[in-house]
Amino acid sequence: MSDKKIISQFELLMIANHIIQEHADYIEGMRADSVEEKDDVLVFKGNYFLDDNGLPTAQTTAVFNMFKYLAHHLSKEFTLEN
C-alpha cells in the first residue's frame, strides 16, 4: 500500500516551480512546464537552455540537476492522478 498523495499535474507543477524558485541553484527562467510518471518516477520537463544548434549550454547541467532533484524528492511523496 502506497502512502503517496494523489495529485493533479497542475498542482504538482505549482509545487515543483515553487521549489525551483526557492532553490539556491535557481537560474532566471528555470521552470518545469510538464510532468509525467514513468514506473513510479515523476519526470519533469522544461527549457533546458540549449543553444541555437540544440547543444547544451553552461546552464543545461543546472536544469538537468534541478529536474533530477525534483524527481528524486517528489516521487517519494506524490503520484499523478489518472
Side-chain angles (χ1 to χ4, degrees):
M1 183 81 174
S2 176
D3 292 332
K4 292 183 180 184
K5 179 183 176 198
I6 297 171
I7 192 169
S8 71
Q9 286 182 343
F10 177 79
E11 290 175 302
L12 186 56
L13 286 171
M14 294 289 289
I15 292 168
N17 284 312
H18 177 75
I19 292 170
I20 289 170
Q21 289 180 345
E22 298 296 318
H23 199 278
D25 294 332
Y26 171 74
I27 298 170
E28 184 69 34
M30 184 187 288
R31 63 177 283 109
D33 296 328
S34 66
V35 60
E36 59 187 61
E37 194 166 7
K38 293 185 178 182
D39 298 326
D40 295 328
V41 176
L42 297 168
V43 179
F44 293 88
K45 296 180 182 178
N47 180 359
Y48 276 94
F49 296 96
L50 301 176
D51 68 13
D52 292 336
N53 295 318
L55 298 173
T57 65
Q59 297 172 322
T60 302
T61 300
V63 176
F64 175 82
N65 287 337
M66 182 67 70
F67 290 165
K68 186 171 92 174
Y69 171 83
L70 291 172
H72 180 74
H73 289 283
L74 296 178
S75 293
K76 295 175 188 175
E77 188 175 347
F78 297 105
T79 187
L80 290 177
E81 68 183 9
N82 293 333

